[in-house]
């Protein structure tokens, strides 16, 4: 709140009270981009850990099942039962909501700042990943829901036995279920594009603004996208070709 003197008022020296509403830093464009960056980085770290765990399938059924059951015991005896997994799920859910919320608000503000659409928007502005970022996010979200129903809940899995995670994976990507592998591939490729643009944007938002920093950010984003996408795709194709059975 601040005070100003209105020189045009009928009585000389009349004091007019005006208020200035200050937007919360986290709701500013810079703050929202920071929320997207931090939540995105959390997802990347989770994806890397999840990918490494999936690769246990190459060690055989015993090793993979042991790893899957070990996840339920993390934190014992400090944390009872599967509390660690529920804490992780809660953190991921909060991050998803924060990520989608910040992305939506930024998109709406960008549209409001340009109320008149371009008659022709040149396609040379931005990469394919940048232009399809929002649709990519929707596809990934739908895939996550399917993935949970398939390999976590088991309702869409041919085996659907929580005590046999290795058998669930093998049954899921069996040759006769090629359409599942195809859908999985399309989703992971979409994830790769999303990661490439998202990691680059996050690094830029967190301070990589110099030409050298931009080149480093682009290279790092591409490397992360290829590493994670390849790590997730190798399992279904290994099952499809019989390397994992």
């Amino acid at each position: 709140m601040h005070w100003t003197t209105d020189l045009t008022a009928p009585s000389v020296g009349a004091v007019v009270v005006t208020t200035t509403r200050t937007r919360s830093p986290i709701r500013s464009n810079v703050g929202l981009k920071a929320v997207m960056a931090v939540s995105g980085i959390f997802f990347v770290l989770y994806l890397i850990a999840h990918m490494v765990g999936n690769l246990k399938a190459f060690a055989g059924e015993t090793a993979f099942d042991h790893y899957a059951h070990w996840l339920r015991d993390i934190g014992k005896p400090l944390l009872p039962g599967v509390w660690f997994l529920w804490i992780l799920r809660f953190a991921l859910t909060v991050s998803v909501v924060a990520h989608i919320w910040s992305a939506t608000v930024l998109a709406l503000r960008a549209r409001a700042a340009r109320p008149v659409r371009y008659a022709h928007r040149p396609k040379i502005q931005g990469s394919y990943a940048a232009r399809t970022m929002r649709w990519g996010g929707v596809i990934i979200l739908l895939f996550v829901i399917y993935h949970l129903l398939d390999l976590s809940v088991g309702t869409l899995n041919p085996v659907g036995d929580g005590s046999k995670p290795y058998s669930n994976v093998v049954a899921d990507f069996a040759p006769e279920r090629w359409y599942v592998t195809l859908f999985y591939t399309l989703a992971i490729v979409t994830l790769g594009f999303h990661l490439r643009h998202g990691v680059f944007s996050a690094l830029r938002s967190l301070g990589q603004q110099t030409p050298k920093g931009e080149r480093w950010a682009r290279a790092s984003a591409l490397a992360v996208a290829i590493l994670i996408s390849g790590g997730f795709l190798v399992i279904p194709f290994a099952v499809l070709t019989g390397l994992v059975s």
Side-chain angles (χ1 to χ4, degrees):
M1 177 180 294
H2 64 275
W3 301 82
T4 61
T5 301
D6 187 357
L7 299 179
T8 64
S11 57
V12 178
V15 177
V16 180
V17 179
T18 61
T19 58
T20 301
R21 180 176 297 177
T22 303
R23 177 180 288 169
S24 170
I26 200 171
R27 292 178 63 86
S28 67
N29 286 353
V30 174
L32 291 173
K33 289 180 180 179
V35 170
M36 286 192 67
V38 173
S39 59
I41 289 173
F42 178 69
F43 286 136
V44 170
L45 294 177
Y46 168 76
L47 287 172
I48 292 174
H50 188 28
M51 176 195 70
V52 172
N54 285 354
L55 294 176
K56 285 279 187 179
F58 286 105
E61 182 174 1
T62 301
F64 187 83
D65 286 352
H66 180 269
Y67 160 74
H69 294 307
W70 169 78
L71 289 176
R72 299 176 176 272
D73 295 331
I74 296 178
K76 287 185 177 180
L78 181 63
L79 297 175
V82 294
W83 276 34
F84 173 81
L85 286 180
W86 281 109
I87 292 173
L88 178 61
R89 289 164 182 165
F90 176 77
L92 286 170
T93 301
V94 171
S95 296
V96 167
V97 172
H99 199 77
I100 295 176
W101 167 72
S102 54
T104 302
V105 173
L106 286 170
L108 292 175
R109 286 180 183 174
R111 178 172 296 182
R114 191 177 62 245
V116 179
R117 297 177 64 89
Y118 292 126
H120 175 69
R121 184 176 182 178
K123 293 186 177 181
I124 59 174
Q125 296 180 1
S127 65
Y128 173 82
R131 295 196 303 270
T132 59
M133 197 68 173
R134 297 164 199 166
W135 285 110
V138 173
I139 293 172
I140 293 169
L141 179 61
L142 293 176
F143 169 73
V144 168
I145 294 173
Y146 169 82
H147 194 57
L148 290 174
L149 292 175
D150 181 20
L151 292 176
S152 293
V153 180
T155 55
L156 300 180
N157 189 274
V159 175
D161 188 344
S163 65
K164 300 178 180 180
Y166 184 88
S167 298
N168 291 336
V169 171
V170 172
D172 201 29
F173 300 114
E176 61 271 17
R177 285 169 56 87
W178 57 268
Y179 49 90
V180 174
T181 302
L182 177 61
F183 176 53
Y184 189 92
T185 302
L186 292 174
I188 295 301
V189 170
T190 302
L191 174 65
F193 281 111
H194 198 87
L195 284 172
R196 182 187 176 190
H197 180 72
V199 171
F200 171 73
S201 298
L203 292 174
R204 295 280 287 173
S205 297
L206 295 176
Q208 294 296 333
Q209 298 293 333
T210 64
K212 181 178 179 181
E214 180 178 349
R215 291 193 298 271
W216 179 85
R218 288 189 183 279
S220 299
L222 179 60
V224 169
I226 292 175
L227 173 67
I228 293 179
S229 300
F232 276 106
L233 286 176
V234 69
I235 298 299
F237 281 98
V239 175
L240 188 66
T241 57
L243 293 177
V244 171
S245 60

